Amino acid sequence: MSLSEFNLIERYFTARGVRREDVALGVGDDCALLRVPAGMELAVSIDALVEGHHYPAGTDAAAVGHKALAVGLSDLAAMGAEPAWATLALSLPEADEGWLQGFADGLFALADRFRVQLVGGDTVRGPRVISLQLHGFVPQGMALRRDGATVGDLIYVTGTPGDAGLGLELALGRYSASDADARYLRERLDRPEPRVMVGLQLRGIASAAIDISDGLAADLGHILARSGVGARLELAQLPYSSALQRLLPDALERWHYALGSGDDYELCFTVPPERCAAVEQLCAALDCGCQCIGRIEAAPGLRLYRPDGTLLENSPHGFDHFG
Ligand code: ADP
Ligand code: MG
């Protein structure tokens, strides 16, 4: 790394943010030295963001910084892990200081909220790709996994899935909306709110969990496959934002977005019936919407039921990067 690049890293990334007690050595050496608290397992997740693929080209730099961290925090949330450290590999075409300032501002605003310390990284010249790895803690044996759903469990989702996918369609000019609705949906795409506190409180309550990055149907499908079960989903129970309802008067189109579009970073989880009251209470206390949308059944596969009780054939599929 050249001196100017080193100065750049120091200016934008290493001279700011929270300082944690469990970091013995942060940025500046060949490795960071970190202490995992006794009795905890280390939860690790990495995501790469490519411009034009994971966010629209021209997205505000602060939103990119926010999202780079939010997607990893969402993975920790889905495991019931408490965020602690991040490492950041940045590939940039040039040292655009305006972009770097915005990116770092967006990143650290979210990192500070969840007490995440940036403890290392790498900076190289190349096409713009942002890879961020997150590390968190979860008490041994307590992680929320995908393989714990059992027959009779109820299925919940937080927030209003479909908003981010519709926000992307708006950004691409495929719909038109009022300024307020367009702003709301674009914000849902650009600045997802990772459900960290909900994930932490679901430990010991949810039987399985996943975060929604590829679409509710596809991601719930991962829980079903890993747990060796199936599910019945009530389309009438899907929760929508009022902006989505205004833009999509047709029920089939709403189902399509809520079930098939990605990037929402909400949580989908299963709960034994006797613990449902606890779930609804904790979500209300955290001011996070949550809705029961179906039930785990023994027969494999995901069955979608219309409001009139009939089975919907040709279910919408989740977004598949290689599909
Ligand atoms: P090395 O060549 O030993 O891998 P570098 O010269 O690439 O180290 O980096 C020097 C220090 O700066 C290291 O501690 C590294 O973790 C940190 N660093 C480099 N790039 C970033 C970045 N984008 N964000 C945070 N820390 C970084
Ligand atoms: Mg080295």
Side-chain angles (χ1 to χ4, degrees):
M1 188 198 281
S2 75
L3 184 63
S4 68
E5 277 163 349
F6 185 79
N7 286 341
L8 186 143
I9 299 308
E10 182 150 42
R11 163 131 27 111
Y12 294 108
F13 296 108
T14 61
R16 59 188 294 189
V18 296
R19 294 286 180 262
R20 295 178 57 97
E21 301 269 287
D22 48 24
V23 176
L25 187 62
V27 169
D29 213 312
D30 293 309
C31 290
L33 298 174
L34 309 167
R35 301 189 196 104
V36 179
M40 295 285 191
E41 285 173 331
L42 185 63
V44 179
S45 167
I46 185 164
D47 285 284
L49 260 59
V50 179
E51 183 168 45
H53 188 68
H54 299 102
Y55 61 92
T59 296
D60 170 47
V64 179
H66 174 100
K67 192 160 182 174
L69 188 64
V71 299
L73 286 173
S74 178
D75 282 326
L76 291 185
M79 299 296 288
E82 178 191 336
W85 313 309
T87 50
L88 172 67
L90 267 182
S91 167
L92 299 172
E94 79 259 300
D96 176 342
E97 301 216 12
W99 190 89
L100 278 165
Q101 183 70 57
F103 175 83
D105 287 348
L107 183 101
F108 282 105
L110 188 61
D112 290 352
R113 272 180 57 206
F114 289 106
R115 296 205 61 250
V116 170
Q117 183 172 341
L118 183 63
V119 295
D122 197 20
T123 310
V124 299
R125 201 174 289 272
R128 188 172 288 157
V129 179
I130 300 133
S131 304
L132 197 141
Q133 184 164 42
L134 262 163
H135 309 73
F137 312 136
V138 60
Q140 262 167 38
M142 292 290 287
L144 304 172
R145 301 162 46 135
R146 297 178 180 184
D147 59 6
T150 58
V151 174
D153 286 355
L154 295 171
I155 303 165
Y156 280 82
V157 67
T158 61
T160 52
D163 288 349
L166 191 53
L168 178 61
E169 295 297 308
L170 275 173
L172 299 174
R174 300 203 185 123
Y175 285 91
S176 57
S178 71
D179 284 356
D181 285 349
R183 234 187 343 266
Y184 166 81
L185 293 166
R186 184 62 199 253
E187 195 70 0
R188 294 273 291 154
L189 173 68
D190 284 346
R191 294 176 198 273
E193 175 63 24
R195 302 297 189 182
V196 173
M197 302 312 289
V198 175
L200 287 176
Q201 295 204 15
L202 284 175
R203 289 197 307 229
I205 293 178
S207 50
I210 192 167
D211 71 317
I212 306 175
S213 50
D214 294 338
L216 176 53
D219 289 320
L220 173 57
H222 294 312
I223 288 184
L224 303 181
R226 294 290 294 273
S227 300
V229 293
R232 171 191 176 108
L233 193 147
E234 310 297 339
L235 291 164
Q237 303 294 329
L238 289 172
Y240 304 115
S241 66
S242 45
L244 184 141
Q245 279 178 296
R246 274 190 291 272
L247 249 71
L248 306 176
D250 177 51
L252 197 64
E253 247 195 310
R254 281 187 222 158
W255 301 338
H256 173 80
Y257 276 96
L259 291 169
S261 73
D263 256 8
D264 284 307
Y265 301 102
E266 296 293 347
L267 296 182
C268 175
F269 52 93
T270 58
V271 185
E274 66 274 14
R275 296 192 206 135
C276 288
V279 164
E280 287 168 23
Q281 228 163 49
L282 78 87
C283 285
L286 292 170
D287 206 17
C288 174
C290 84
Q291 173 77 34
C292 177
I293 55 170
R295 183 183 289 271
I296 298 294
E297 297 178 333
L302 177 60
R303 289 164 291 283
L304 309 179
Y305 283 86
R306 291 194 190 84
D308 67 5
T310 59
L311 186 65
L312 178 77
E313 313 288 346
N314 301 320
S315 309
H317 294 288
F319 180 72
D320 179 347
H321 293 269
F322 301 101

